[in-house]
């Protein structure tokens, strides 16, 4: 969300963003034990605690079994134990200083063994500066014995095609990085215009495939169990990271809704009812309403510290004008833009529904309490396709 906020601001300002996706080869297996212990000591981990970590890493061996035949046992001299609780924490600690090697105009995000760095591109000199930062990354990886899989690395230029097509390529370890037209980042497909239409097409196809599989795999036609399967097996595909890619075009909204429309129509005794009647009878919210509630819940978590970072990191700006005693004290102000990408970004589209919430809901003591109270609020006026006549459960 933080990265998307920066990218949409750059598009609003008429500039491009170059994003480099970096993959470390066998990163968890190549961590140097001596260098890891050195880094831990610089972070203040000393004495018995450091000895415990050292004991956790040393005197490990491994062998391979194939058809009940094992190889010779080999001593493990590098890497953090995968599948352990401490392993991922040690790896994150090992690469924690990576962000500090980049210049101020290059922002980096780390997730496990993947790194993403991006910068606003205003002129060709910015590409040169970005290249210098990639060179720093290459030097850092060589110093700490983390090897970069250059064949899996690429760049994505976000912005107007007229501008991005003219930008020169970057290199990493003297290998020219491919300029991708689309890229999957943590399960969400990105393109240079940030429309997410391709991502929506893919999740619709995947969700419909699961719907067909659900009806083929279960002999029961008990609506209670089919609904449970739909909520457990299909809805997670439709809801994953929805605050990132929530569509604003009617075609995309209707395409997503077609999954639930198809599922409810196949339920016994529901084929003759309209979609609105089926939702009312099943007490289901439309998928558009689910996404709006998810946006509001995320906004609540940001303001109440359940999500890392201040609201400004996600583009949320508190209004300085609070009219009288009406409403709540966390009202937002809209970021005006003529660019659709920014106009329909999370921080902009959430302003009106968030400001319309009662104060007792906004200041709920917990996220669970917020969700329970949010169900009682009629949000139909903020929806494009108004299928729900009354509010339904999550």
């Amino acid at each position: 969300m933080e990265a998307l906020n920066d990218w949409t601001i750059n598009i609003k300002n008429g500039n491009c963003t170059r994003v480099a996706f970096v993959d470390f080869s066998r990163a968890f297996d190549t961590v140097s034990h001596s260098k890891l212990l050195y880094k831990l000591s610089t972070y203040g981990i000393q004495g018995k605690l450091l000895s415990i970590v050292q004991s956790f890493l040393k005197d490990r061996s491994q062998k391979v079994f194939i058809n009940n035949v094992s190889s010779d046992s080999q001593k493990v001299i590098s890497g953090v134990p995968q599948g352990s609780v401490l392993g991922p924490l040690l790896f994150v600690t090992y690469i924690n200083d990576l962000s500090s090697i980049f210049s101020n105009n290059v922002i980096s995000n780390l997730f496990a063994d993947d790194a993403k760095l991006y910068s606003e591109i205003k002129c060709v000199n910015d590409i040169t500066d970005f290249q210098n930062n990639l060179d720093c990354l290459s030097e850092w990886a060589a110093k700490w014995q983390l090897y970069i899989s250059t064949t899996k690395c690429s760049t994505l230029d976000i912005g107007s095609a007229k501008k991005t097509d003219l930008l020169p390529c970057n290199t990493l370890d003297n290998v020219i990085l491919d300029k991708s037209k689309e890229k999957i980042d943590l399960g969400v497909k990105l393109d240079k215009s940030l429309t997410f239409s391709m991502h929506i097409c893919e999740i619709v196809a995947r969700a419909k495939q699961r719907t067909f599989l659900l009806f083929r795999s279960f002999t029961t036609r008990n609506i209670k169990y089919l609904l449970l399967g739909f909520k457990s097996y299909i809805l997670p595909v439709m809801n994953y990271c929805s605050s990132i890619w929530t569509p604003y075009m009617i075609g995309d909204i209707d395409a997503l809704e077609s999954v639930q429309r198809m599922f409810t129509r196949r339920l016994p005794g529901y084929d003759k009812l309209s979609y609105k009647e089926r939702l009312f009878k099943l007490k289901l919210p439309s998928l558009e309403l689910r996404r709006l509630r998810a946006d509001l819940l995320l906004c609540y978590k940001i303001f109440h510290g359940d999500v890392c970072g201040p609201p400004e990191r996600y583009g949320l700006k508190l209004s300085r004008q609070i009219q009288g005693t009406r409403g709540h004290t966390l009202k937002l102000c809209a970021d005006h833009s003529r660019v659709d990408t920014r106009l329909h970004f999370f921080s902009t589209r959430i302003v009106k529904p968030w400001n319309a919430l009662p104060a007792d809901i906004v200041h709920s003591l917990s996220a669970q309490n917020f969700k329970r109270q949010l169900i009682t609020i009629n949000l139909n006026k903020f929806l494009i396709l108004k299928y729900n006549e009354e509010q339904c459960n999550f």
Side-chain angles (χ1 to χ4, degrees):
M1 183 68 76
E2 178 186 359
L4 196 63
N5 179 53
D6 294 336
W7 299 345
T8 54
I9 290 176
N10 293 344
I11 292 177
K12 174 189 173 184
N13 295 336
N15 299 321
C16 306
T17 305
R18 168 151 291 182
V19 188
F21 296 90
V22 181
D23 182 85
F24 292 105
S25 177
R26 300 176 63 242
F28 284 86
D29 297 326
T30 57
V31 172
S32 169
H33 289 173
S34 59
K35 293 182 177 182
L36 172 59
L37 294 171
Y38 167 77
K39 284 194 173 186
L40 290 174
S41 65
T42 60
Y43 290 138
I45 298 177
Q46 303 285 345
K48 291 184 178 180
L49 181 56
L50 186 63
S51 298
I52 291 174
V53 176
Q54 184 176 8
S55 177
F56 175 73
L57 295 172
K58 73 175 185 178
D59 296 332
R60 287 181 175 271
S61 61
Q62 63 183 11
K63 60 175 64 177
V64 178
F65 282 86
I66 299 178
N67 295 329
N68 295 324
V69 178
S70 68
S71 65
D72 295 334
S73 180
Q74 297 292 329
K75 187 176 181 180
V76 177
I77 59 175
S78 65
V80 293
Q82 298 188 45
S84 63
V85 175
L86 194 56
L89 179 60
L90 291 175
F91 180 78
V92 170
T93 305
Y94 193 71
I95 64 172
N96 187 53
D97 63 326
L98 177 58
S99 299
S100 63
I101 70 172
F102 302 122
S103 58
N104 293 332
N105 58 332
V106 173
I107 300 173
S108 62
N109 298 140
L110 307 175
F111 183 81
D113 59 343
D114 293 321
K116 175 177 64 186
L117 49 149
Y118 60 90
S119 177
E120 184 178 12
I121 306 299
K122 300 178 182 178
C123 60
V124 178
N125 290 337
D126 293 327
I127 294 291
T128 303
D129 181 69
F130 195 73
Q131 179 62 55
N132 294 335
N133 283 272
L134 288 175
D135 294 339
C136 291
L137 170 63
S138 181
E139 293 174 4
W140 179 91
K143 176 182 177 181
W144 296 104
Q145 295 178 246
L146 287 177
Y147 304 102
I148 298 175
S149 179
T150 53
T151 56
K152 296 181 180 180
C153 300
S154 62
T155 60
L156 175 66
D157 294 329
I158 297 173
S160 170
K162 294 181 180 179
K163 296 182 179 180
T164 57
D165 291 344
L166 299 176
L167 296 178
C169 296
N170 285 121
T171 62
L172 187 59
D173 283 346
N174 297 319
V175 176
I176 298 176
L177 297 178
D178 292 333
K179 293 177 64 176
S180 303
K181 293 183 179 179
E182 58 191 41
K183 192 71 178 179
I184 296 178
D185 185 22
L186 299 181
V188 178
K189 177 167 281 191
L190 305 171
D191 56 38
K192 61 176 58 182
S193 58
L194 297 180
T195 60
F196 298 105
S197 291
M198 296 183 65
H199 176 74
I200 291 171
C201 287
E202 288 194 2
I203 64 174
V204 167
R206 197 182 315 140
K208 286 187 175 180
Q209 186 180 42
R210 291 193 176 194
T211 302
F212 294 137
L213 184 61
L214 178 68
F215 281 99
R216 285 201 307 267
S217 301
F218 289 88
T219 57
T220 180
R221 287 299 177 260
N222 187 302
I223 293 177
K224 175 184 176 181
Y225 298 124
L226 290 174
L227 271 177
L228 182 60
F230 178 75
K231 293 178 180 179
S232 304
Y233 189 56
I234 299 166
L235 280 184
V237 175
M238 309 293 293
N239 295 336
Y240 175 72
C241 286
S242 64
S243 295
I244 296 291
W245 52 262
T246 289
Y248 57 89
M249 292 184 287
I250 294 180
D252 289 336
I253 297 173
D254 191 59
L256 289 164
E257 209 67 49
S258 68
V259 177
Q260 186 165 262
R261 193 161 53 235
M262 178 185 68
F263 169 79
T264 55
R265 187 171 57 247
R266 296 191 62 175
L267 294 176
Y270 284 79
D271 55 325
K272 302 298 182 182
L273 301 177
S274 67
Y275 182 47
K276 184 180 291 187
E277 291 171 334
R278 297 197 296 271
L279 292 180
F280 177 79
K281 193 172 181 180
L282 294 168
K283 297 183 179 180
L284 281 175
S286 66
L287 296 182
E288 185 184 7
L289 178 56
R290 283 183 184 274
R291 292 192 297 273
L292 177 55
R293 287 173 173 172
D295 281 352
L296 291 170
L297 179 60
L298 177 59
C299 192
Y300 170 88
K301 290 181 176 179
I302 291 173
F303 275 118
H304 290 79
D306 295 336
V307 176
C308 181
E312 293 77 15
R313 179 181 293 183
Y314 307 94
L316 300 175
K317 299 178 182 178
L318 287 174
S319 175
R320 296 181 180 179
Q321 298 178 350
I322 301 177
Q323 300 176 355
T325 58
R326 298 185 62 185
H328 53 83
T329 58
L330 293 178
K331 287 194 173 182
L332 300 170
C333 61
D335 183 12
H336 299 289
S337 175
R338 294 183 178 180
V339 181
D340 284 344
T341 307
R342 185 64 185 177
L343 184 62
H344 298 283
F345 177 63
F346 166 76
S347 64
T348 306
R349 69 172 183 264
I350 200 65
V351 171
K352 289 183 178 179
W354 175 261
N355 289 348
L357 293 179
D360 59 328
I361 295 182
V362 170
H363 297 288
S364 297
L365 297 179
S366 67
Q368 288 297 325
N369 191 35
F370 177 84
K371 289 173 63 175
R372 284 194 295 269
Q373 294 189 73
L374 187 60
I375 295 173
T376 65
I377 303 300
N378 193 324
L379 299 171
N380 268 352
K381 64 180 179 180
F382 304 111
L383 303 177
I384 297 177
L385 303 179
K386 299 174 175 58
Y387 288 118
N388 288 106
E389 295 180 353
E390 68 173 33
Q391 303 308 297
C392 306
N393 295 331
F394 273 85

